[in-house]
């Protein structure tokens, strides 16, 4: 089978197309004939070597795929061969390939759902992350307002429909430049703020929940906009800059700052993601989980990562064999 392999950490050029043996599922696993592989920021972090202690080279990256069940491992009863599925996470990677193996607890059936698998793999895993983050960590309440930094990113862009499903009254997003304004307006935001106008344009507004995928100055400037008992949820750091937080400010203003990574949750509670995803399948089928998707051939993974590194992506890039 074909796979895009990394033999050393570095830039987009480190990918090599290689023929490797077909993997077979172990107990509790399935193998998947991959039709679509999503490209995410975490993939780029892995490629650059930001987590060298977590993975061994050579490796095939890629955390999320859509496709059909190829083979069932011992003990798997909830799926059948040929069934269309999408993965919530490939904890051991392997998505940039024509066949991959996944833990059966981390996949969701798309059977009976009228949805493009490219759209499903682009939105459902991230929407599941958003649902778990908003319900288990931020504890979003009906009528609360939300601010989302990096509004058109793959993860950030699915927070509005999930937040509205949970009863949010207002969702405002921020973007880096006005060149992405038209794209941002296609998403389910009540208003979009350009980073250069933030926080002045929303000064005096009080948000109950801030979703931060950006970090740096955007995160640091958000504390003054928080309502009492407001929660900041850090789900990424695209700026790759750290922010120092004044603990006195937190208790004086009754604010909370939380981090959330779906991988850590799925590691200890494997079925949590599957349960959350099933609550989102109806809005997926209704077309309410929709973001811009660019499709490239699997062999062009280096170009996909180049665009990711240069922040040229609106929505998500998906690779097809």
């Amino acid at each position: 089978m074909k796979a895009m392999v990394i033999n050393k950490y570095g830039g987009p050029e480190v990918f090599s197309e290689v023929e490797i043996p077909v993997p077979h599922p172990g107990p509790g696993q399935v193998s998947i004939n991959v039709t679509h592989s999503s490209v995410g920021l975490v993939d780029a972090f892995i490629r650059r070597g930001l987590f060298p202690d977590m993975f061994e080279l050579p490796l095939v990256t890629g955390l999320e795929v859509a496709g059909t069940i190829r083979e069932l491992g011992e003990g798997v009863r909830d799926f059948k061969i040929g069934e269309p599925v999408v993965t919530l996470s490939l904890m051991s990677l392997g998505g940039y390939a024509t066949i991959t193996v996944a833990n059966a607890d981390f996949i969701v059936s798309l059977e009976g759902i009228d949805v493009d698998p490219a759209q499903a793999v682009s939105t459902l895993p991230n929407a599941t992350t958003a649902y778990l983050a908003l319900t288990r960590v931020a504890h979003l309440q009906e009528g609360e307002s939300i601010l989302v930094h990096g509004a058109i990113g793959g993860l950030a862009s699915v927070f509005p429909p999930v937040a509205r499903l949970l009863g949010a009254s207002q969702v405002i997003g921020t973007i880096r430049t006005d060149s992405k304004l038209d794209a941002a307006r296609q998403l389910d935001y009540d208003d979009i703020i350009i980073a250069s106008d933030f926080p002045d344009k929303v000064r005096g507004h009080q948000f109950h929940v801030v979703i931060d995928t950006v970090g740096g100055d955007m995160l640091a400037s958000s504390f003054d906009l928080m309502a009492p008992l407001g929660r900041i949820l850090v789900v990424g750091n695209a700026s790759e800059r750290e922010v120092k937080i004044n603990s006195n400010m937190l208790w004086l203003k009754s604010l909370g700052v939380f981090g959330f990574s779906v991988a850590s949750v799925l590691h200890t509670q494997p079925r949590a993601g599957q349960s959350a995803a099933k609550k989102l399948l109806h809005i997926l089928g209704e077309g309410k989980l929709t973001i811009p998707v660019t499709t490239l051939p699997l062999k062009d993974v280096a170009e996909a990562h180049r665009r990711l590194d240069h922040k040229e992506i609106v929505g998500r890039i998906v690779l097809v064999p």
Side-chain angles (χ1 to χ4, degrees):
M1 70 171 210
K2 181 170 67 176
M4 306 307 297
V5 175
I6 295 173
N7 290 295
K8 63 179 181 179
Y9 296 120
E13 71 282 352
V14 298
F15 290 100
S16 299
E17 184 176 324
V18 177
E19 287 289 330
I20 62 175
V22 172
H24 297 284
Q29 296 181 323
V30 302
S31 62
I32 299 171
N33 289 319
V34 177
T35 60
H36 300 80
S37 305
S38 67
V39 179
L41 187 58
V42 174
D43 294 332
F45 288 164
I46 293 170
R47 185 207 76 224
R48 295 174 199 162
L50 269 63
F51 314 118
D53 296 332
M54 295 177 63
F55 307 104
E56 291 185 7
L57 295 175
L59 65 85
V60 179
T61 188
L63 284 164
E64 300 146 355
V65 304
T68 58
I69 300 291
R70 176 187 178 90
E71 188 179 353
L72 303 175
E74 180 184 347
V76 177
R77 302 283 185 268
D78 296 335
F79 299 95
K80 62 181 183 292
I81 293 173
E83 187 171 1
V85 295
V86 62
T87 65
L88 301 179
S89 178
L90 294 170
M91 302 292 279
S92 57
L93 306 182
Y96 294 175
T98 52
I99 301 170
T100 194
V101 168
N103 186 321
D105 288 338
F106 298 163
I107 65 174
V108 178
S109 175
L110 295 177
E111 194 161 72
I113 307 295
D114 183 18
V115 62
D116 179 353
Q119 194 65 240
V121 76
S122 296
T123 58
L124 187 60
N126 280 338
T128 300
T129 297
Y131 187 94
L132 290 171
L134 290 173
T135 56
R136 294 198 171 199
V137 184
H139 300 292
L140 179 68
Q141 304 297 306
E142 188 169 354
E144 290 190 321
S145 62
I146 297 183
L147 175 67
V148 182
H149 291 313
I152 61 173
L155 176 55
S157 60
V158 298
F159 268 92
V162 176
R164 294 192 194 283
L165 177 68
L166 296 171
S169 61
Q170 184 182 47
V171 187
I172 292 176
T174 70
I175 58 175
R176 191 165 57 92
T177 66
D178 58 6
S179 64
K180 306 289 178 64
L181 193 56
D182 288 342
R185 285 173 174 162
Q186 301 302 309
L187 301 171
D188 194 16
Y189 290 100
D190 294 298
D191 196 10
I192 297 293
I193 311 298
I194 310 300
S196 58
D197 295 330
F198 182 83
D200 293 341
K201 195 169 181 179
V202 285
R203 189 77 68 185
H205 193 104
Q206 290 195 320
F207 294 97
H208 299 95
V209 177
V210 171
I211 307 299
D212 180 54
T213 67
V214 177
D217 293 340
M218 299 301 286
L219 172 58
S221 299
S222 299
F223 291 99
D224 290 339
L225 304 175
M226 302 298 295
L229 301 180
R231 292 84 73 199
I232 290 181
L233 193 57
V234 179
V235 294
N237 184 16
S239 71
E240 300 183 43
R241 294 177 55 196
E242 294 184 2
V243 172
K244 292 184 178 180
I245 297 174
N246 182 338
S247 60
N248 285 334
M249 176 266 296
L250 294 182
W251 70 264
L252 286 169
K253 292 189 174 184
S254 298
L255 304 180
V257 180
F258 305 90
F260 185 82
S261 166
V262 73
S264 62
V265 175
L266 296 182
H267 181 73
T268 56
Q269 304 174 53
R271 291 187 176 272
Q274 207 173 57
S275 175
K278 289 177 180 178
K279 295 175 182 178
L280 300 170
L281 285 175
H282 71 283
I283 63 172
L284 176 67
E286 292 167 1
K288 295 179 180 178
L289 280 177
T290 304
I291 64 173
V293 175
T294 300
T295 301
L296 291 175
L298 179 62
K299 65 181 179 62
D300 290 343
V301 61
E303 169 61 15
H305 273 248
R306 186 199 65 78
R307 296 184 192 184
L308 195 67
D309 285 357
H310 288 84
K311 297 180 170 59
E312 296 176 2
I313 298 175
V314 175
R316 300 206 78 176
I317 289 183
V318 171
L319 304 172
V320 295

